[in-house]
Amino acid sequence: MAKRSSGQKLATALLTSLPLFAVLGSTAALSGCGFQLRGYDTPMLFNVAKTAVIIEDNRTSFPLKLPLTRRLEALGVEVTDNMTSADVANNNKNATAEPIAAISVNNIRFKRYELVGVLTEIRLVISADVSYQALQNGKVVTLTNPIQVERSYQYNEASVSTDDQQGDQVRDWLYDSLARRITDQYVAIALPRVAPASANTPSQTGSASTAVIVPNAPNP
């Protein structure tokens, strides 16, 4: 009975640890082999393995570096943060050097709007000017796009605590949300242009092609 009890405990421990091993295994596969989009035959890999993250060195901009780096590395991107835009441009001019993509984030700023009532309604907005430099068909493509993320919350100034702790949490959320938006745009720009599997698979009902007609927008 003692042996049977110890065997049951061992089996229970192994079953409990299976989800953890599955998470670790999927994370390693994601970071090592790229990721696969639904409808595509093969995993998607970036045209350029290394990406320089260029962020201004000040108190407002620096908190974005960690969440942005984590999100890029989760997609298998090798992030380097010790280069400037000039360094990236000089590297890519060298035909023998490994190409490097770049994400430059400038002019990060916060705006705070207050609507005073029984409870103060606060809307906190973070904005940034983001430039992406990637390779498409062997050519350098640069795109600059402003990004803005906002969130509202209520603050009771008559409370015992005068610290706006919820405002600090909202700022952390805004940094993480901004990092997610930047990563999503970088994926759309930097991934190779590959047709989905459905586009290359003939229809089972016949070989006739189907035309998709988009109606014109109505006149205002």
Side-chain angles (χ1 to χ4, degrees), residues 24-26 39 50 53 76 80 100 128 169 199-200 206 208:
L24 293 176
S26 60
K50 291 184 178 180
V53 174
T80 175
I100 298 177
Q169 295 175 356
N200 299 324

Side-chain angles (χ1 to χ4, degrees), residues 48-53 72 77-81 100-103 133 186:
V48 180
K50 291 184 178 180
T51 300
V53 174
L72 290 171
V77 177
E78 183 179 347
V79 178
T80 175
D81 58 358
I100 298 177
I103 301 176
Q133 182 175 313
Y186 180 70

Side-chain angles (χ1 to χ4, degrees), residues 21-37 42-46 70-78 183 187 191:
F21 289 134
V23 172
L24 293 176
S26 60
T27 303
L30 178 64
S31 61
C33 302
F35 56 96
Q36 185 167 347
L37 299 178
T42 58
M44 304 296 290
L45 296 175
F46 291 98
R70 285 177 174 174
R71 289 187 175 274
L72 290 171
E73 289 179 342
L75 296 178
V77 177
E78 183 179 347
T183 304
V187 167
L191 278 181

Side-chain angles (χ1 to χ4, degrees), residues 21 61 66 96-97 100 132 135 150 169 191 214 219-220:
F21 289 134
S61 303
L66 182 58
T96 61
I100 298 177
Y132 308 91
L135 290 181
E150 64 179 65
Q169 295 175 356
L191 278 181
V214 180
N219 295 326

Side-chain angles (χ1 to χ4, degrees), residues 32-159:
C33 302
F35 56 96
Q36 185 167 347
L37 299 178
R38 181 178 299 175
Y40 288 77
D41 291 331
T42 58
M44 304 296 290
L45 296 175
F46 291 98
N47 287 323
V48 180
K50 291 184 178 180
T51 300
V53 174
I54 305 169
I55 298 178
E56 296 173 324
D57 189 10
N58 55 56
R59 295 180 60 183
T60 304
S61 303
F62 188 78
L64 176 66
K65 180 174 291 187
L66 182 58
L68 180 56
T69 300
R70 285 177 174 174
R71 289 187 175 274
L72 290 171
E73 289 179 342
L75 296 178
V77 177
E78 183 179 347
V79 178
T80 175
D81 58 358
N82 57 353
M83 300 183 70
T84 64
S85 298
D87 295 336
V88 174
N90 292 332
N91 177 85
N92 293 337
K93 289 179 181 179
N94 188 351
T96 61
E98 181 182 3
I100 298 177
I103 301 176
S104 301
V105 186
N106 300 301
N107 195 21
I108 297 180
R109 57 216 181 263
F110 280 93
K111 285 187 178 180
R112 177 187 174 103
Y113 303 91
E114 294 186 6
L115 180 61
V116 179
V118 178
L119 293 176
T120 301
E121 183 79 17
I122 298 177
R123 183 164 64 96
L124 198 59
V125 181
I126 184 173
S127 304
D129 299 327
V130 186
S131 296
Y132 308 91
Q133 182 175 313
L135 290 181
Q136 293 181 0
N137 299 323
K139 297 181 180 180
V140 177
V141 176
T142 302
L143 175 65
T144 301
N145 187 33
I147 298 179
Q148 177 175 299
V149 182
E150 64 179 65
R151 186 164 185 173
S152 300
Y153 66 99
Q154 292 182 337
Y155 174 55
N156 186 3
E157 296 182 349
S159 61

